[in-house]
Amino acid sequence: MHGETIHKEAAPAVPPRLTDYDRTRSAFTWSQARAGLSGLPGGGLNMAHEAVDRHASSDLADKVALRCVARDDSVSTVTYAELARRTARFAGVLRSLGVGRGDRVFTLLGRCPELYTAVLGTLKNTSVLCPLFSAFGPDPVEQRLRLGDARVLVTTAALYRRKVAERRASVPGLKHVLIVGPGAEELPGTASFDDLVSAAPDTFAVPPTSPEDTALLHFTSGTTGAPKGAVHVHEAVVAHHATAAYALDLHPEDVYWCTADPGWVTGMSYGIIAPLAHGVTVVVDEGDYDARRWYRILGEQRVTVWYTAPTALRMLMRATPRQGPYDLPRSYDLSALRFVASVGEPLNPEAVVWGRDVLGLPVHDNWWQTETGCIMIANFAACEIRPGSMGRPLPGVDATVLKRGEDGRVLVTGGGVTEVESPDVEGELALRPGWPSMFRGYLHDRERYDAAFAGGWYLTGDLVRRDADGWYWFVGRADDVIKSAGHLIGPFEVESALMEHPAVAEAGVIGRPDPVAGNVVKAFVSLRHGVEPTPDLERELLAFGRRRLGPAVAPREIAFDQNLPRTRSGKVMRRLLRARELGLPTGDLSTLEGTA
Ligand code: ATP
Ligand code: MG
């Protein structure tokens, strides 16, 4: 049902970084990966040194690090040498403000060059960076500033005025607000980021940094509950660097574009740190999603490696159906594009194949979490794709499937857990701790952190199955799976099947309690542009579901909903669909899209 396997060319023009999966995996060690970085001159490891300074003192000094496409389409560039100076200046600004090791610096910014200056300057100063989505409303901003003990906030005048100014008194620890762009002089209690940065010296000696020093604080997406703050250390850069080579196939000459918002972990690990650690040119789009704009950027910027998300691909698919003449993508020269990857949600097989037909390249799904800090499971450039599978564990990553008990949690007996040995059997995805970017704690929540481990494994909270060849297939969140008439149903499988119907743009599937079946599958469906929600279409979709999935798994009920609730990172919030359906409390809505 997952369609044909997609095979790769035997001799691609650019030889992939990983060619023999088994050999690379068995030869790989993290200490070898560490040797691929340079370390601080006096010893220690600092993310910003790896991402910027070491290139600035090499042949790459004059290479373009950032190619920024402004909203008006004008393009400006920043070289590695210039980025080293700007980040040194910002580190100096922090130091002169008395902000030091471990102090928290928050950004509330869209993608812009100053974001890179703030993030990397903070890391140079051994302070801790926490990025926020610029689309957050005042409540989630205040909540996170307080929870994260923010000392400094870097934002714009408009965002400050709308989201922070009135709440400032309730975040007493917030001592410095630095305003990017104009407007600081009219806002009491703020200072101009640009003035401070341009007045600071353009060299800064990075203080000794231990690989275990805290570098980043990331809040999770809040898909399954209140967002959690995951703490990451400088050593994570080892994993960012290694996984970007293997899973994104980054080569030094690449032009790379990551569309993830900087407020989400992908926008940090793979939008900032990993590509710069590789010394590639990073495209920074300051504008918002627009199908034409995106195709234009891919074409005009000669993007070679593109990292995006299923929700973005689905929007492009809506604008450019596979059956269509593809006028839009064909009017741009996408010939530079070599590798496309996606993360964040299950990538339905339809999207993988759409990529091949419309972009000329299949989409490579990969899996990871805020907690893991880097890609854990991926489809690789050199390897076949099984559409619908998230691929296989990265070199250095030890994954398994654990058996679950009656209560839906991983079965723990006598302190031990049981691995599912047989192929194609569902269980919880678990990872052996020890990779460098594993989170070191949930902020202020030791108990929750401890509860995430059992029998020597980190429990991901995601259900998967592994096929006989070792490929992982996402089933659902442990919190989302539906038990219906004795069957365990992953909502993604049902959503994926529905999305293959030409009328369906997107679907969110939940279990609705039922006295007979335990739960029945209910699907909320948004339709493609111009399609009318009629009783006939409802019947057709129910029948289509039964044909594809069989009566035990197919939805019993369909509701049309053009505005499926989603998180800011683009994930369908099934918990909210369920809460609305059942009249339950809606829980934490801070990451719900469209509420700013
Ligand atoms: P919260 O933990 O607050 O509920 P979240 O889990 O959505 O939110 P993230 O850390 O941003 O927060 O997302 C990681 C999760 O996203 C994974 O645990 C998984 O459920 C889902 N995910 C990521 N990539 C994939 C993928 N390729 N296929 C399926 N699911 C994915
Ligand atoms: Mg999670």
Side-chain angles (χ1 to χ4, degrees):
M1 66 160 293
H2 291 292
E4 77 210 273
T5 299
I6 297 178
H7 295 281
K8 301 290 177 59
E9 279 172 64
V14 178
R17 297 273 230 152
L18 179 153
T19 46
D20 183 329
Y21 176 75
D22 294 320
R23 224 182 24 209
T24 309
R25 246 183 96 73
S26 60
F28 181 90
T29 63
W30 284 112
S31 54
Q32 227 171 34
R34 243 166 240 130
L37 297 174
S38 57
L40 281 175
L45 185 70
N46 184 294
M47 273 184 183
H49 177 80
E50 300 305 326
V52 187
D53 286 7
R54 67 173 179 139
H55 304 312
S57 55
S58 78
D59 296 352
L60 299 184
D62 296 326
K63 178 172 177 176
V64 172
L66 308 178
R67 209 188 279 160
C68 305
V69 185
R71 283 179 186 275
D72 66 2
D73 285 352
S74 61
V75 176
S76 59
T77 58
V78 182
T79 63
Y80 275 97
E82 175 59 15
L83 191 58
R85 285 190 290 271
R86 289 186 189 182
T87 51
R89 288 198 201 107
F90 186 63
V93 167
L94 290 177
R95 187 181 279 172
S96 70
L97 294 173
V99 176
R101 187 183 298 273
D103 289 337
R104 305 251 168 77
V105 178
F106 278 58
T107 52
L108 179 67
L109 290 172
R111 259 177 253 95
C112 60
E114 291 84 355
L115 172 79
Y116 287 75
T117 305
V119 168
L120 296 159
T122 298
L123 295 173
K124 278 189 175 179
N125 192 46
T126 63
S127 303
V128 176
L129 194 285
C130 179
L132 298 178
F133 277 97
S134 56
F136 274 154
D139 284 348
V141 169
E142 178 192 332
Q143 187 192 7
R144 285 166 182 72
L145 290 174
R146 283 227 312 252
L147 241 160
D149 307 308
R151 182 89 187 272
V152 181
L153 172 68
V154 182
T155 187
T156 64
L159 291 170
Y160 180 73
R161 216 176 269 125
R162 287 212 310 272
K163 302 178 182 194
V164 186
E166 283 174 20
R167 315 288 185 100
R168 181 82 183 261
S170 55
V171 195
L174 180 60
K175 298 289 183 225
H176 309 282
V177 173
L178 309 181
I179 299 292
V180 169
E185 52 297 337
E186 289 139 38
L187 296 169
T190 71
S192 160
F193 175 91
D194 311 284
D195 289 355
L196 288 171
V197 168
S198 47
D202 61 11
T203 55
F204 180 88
V206 174
T209 315
S210 154
E212 283 301 313
D213 281 350
T214 305
L216 303 165
L217 171 65
H218 278 296
F219 287 95
T220 60
S221 292
T223 312
T224 54
K228 307 163 280 257
V231 174
H232 289 279
V233 298
H234 278 272
E235 198 196 16
V237 66
V238 175
H240 298 149
H241 186 253
T243 54
Y246 291 137
L248 301 179
D249 199 37
L250 274 192
H251 288 62
E253 55 285 354
D254 276 320
V255 175
Y256 168 80
W257 183 26
C258 169
T259 61
D261 190 281
W264 184 37
V265 69
T266 306
M268 177 64 66
S269 299
Y270 297 100
I272 302 180
I273 310 292
L276 295 176
H278 276 276
V280 306
T281 295
V282 179
V283 171
V284 180
D285 177 22
E286 298 182 38
D288 300 320
Y289 165 82
D290 170 80
R292 187 172 297 278
R293 179 182 180 88
W294 277 27
Y295 285 125
R296 190 170 63 235
I297 289 178
L298 285 172
E300 287 179 1
Q301 300 306 322
R302 310 294 296 153
V303 172
T304 57
V305 175
W306 190 39
Y307 196 20
T308 188
T311 176
L313 290 167
R314 286 196 293 266
M315 288 195 284
L316 280 184
M317 285 165 73
R318 249 192 260 194
T320 333
R322 218 176 123 203
Q323 294 81 2
Y326 321 148
D327 288 347
L328 195 53
R330 294 239 163 110
S331 56
Y332 299 97
D333 177 5
L334 304 184
S335 61
L337 202 56
R338 194 186 85 242
F339 188 76
V340 181
S342 152
V343 70
E345 268 192 298
L347 184 67
N348 38 309
E350 175 81 4
V352 178
V353 178
W354 172 88
R356 186 192 59 186
D357 294 351
V358 178
L359 303 174
L361 295 167
V363 183
H364 295 74
D365 188 20
N366 56 53
W367 179 97
W368 58 294
Q369 306 178 305
T370 309
E371 289 87 343
T372 71
C374 75
I375 301 171
M376 294 276 111
I377 295 181
N379 286 282
F380 302 95
C383 304
E384 67 181 53
I385 295 181
R386 301 181 178 183
S389 163
M390 40 200 214
R392 291 177 289 175
L394 273 275
V397 174
D398 191 6
T400 194
V401 184
L402 296 181
K403 202 168 160 188
R404 300 198 315 151
E406 275 300 309
D407 60 355
R409 311 275 315 165
V410 164
L411 189 66
V412 183
T413 37
V417 293
T418 312
E419 291 184 52
V420 172
E421 301 291 348
S422 321
D424 303 320
V425 175
E426 278 152 23
E428 183 159 337
L429 175 62
L431 304 160
R432 185 73 80 190
W435 71 95
S437 66
M438 192 181 89
F439 72 132
R440 300 299 199 263
Y442 284 124
L443 190 65
H444 309 317
D445 200 346
R446 179 72 212 209
E447 212 175 308
R448 179 168 220 145
Y449 180 73
D450 291 341
F453 299 86
W457 294 93
Y458 162 65
L459 314 177
T460 65
D462 283 349
L463 297 189
V464 297
R465 29 174 205 269
R466 183 176 45 201
D467 68 22
D469 304 321
W471 299 69
Y472 284 76
W473 301 77
F474 185 82
V475 174
R477 311 280 188 129
D479 304 8
D480 274 348
V481 284
I482 303 162
K483 247 189 175 168
S484 178
H487 295 273
L488 207 56
I489 300 167
F492 159 57
E493 189 176 12
V494 180
E495 291 161 6
S496 250
L498 288 172
M499 279 188 261
E500 281 171 36
H501 189 282
V504 176
E506 219 166 349
V509 164
I510 62 161
R512 193 176 56 66
D514 176 85
V516 180
N519 285 281
V520 294
V521 176
K522 173 160 186 173
F524 296 82
V525 164
S526 78
L527 298 173
R528 281 190 194 280
H529 190 68
V531 180
E532 286 300 316
T534 61
D536 275 351
L537 180 59
E538 188 183 327
R539 275 191 294 277
E540 188 182 321
L541 290 178
L542 288 169
F544 181 80
R546 275 196 303 277
R547 270 203 311 282
R548 289 289 166 113
L549 298 161
V553 178
R556 294 272 195 86
E557 291 171 23
I558 300 245
F560 295 113
D561 181 347
Q562 286 308 99
N563 292 302
L564 293 178
R566 56 176 72 256
T567 66
R568 302 204 175 271
S569 47
K571 305 170 198 233
V572 174
M573 261 186 183
R574 299 187 190 89
R575 69 175 162 99
L576 189 52
L577 287 172
R578 202 182 305 120
R580 284 179 185 163
E581 175 74 18
L582 306 181
L584 300 171
T586 49
D588 185 298
L589 295 183
S590 63
T591 61
L592 180 65
E593 190 186 59
T595 49

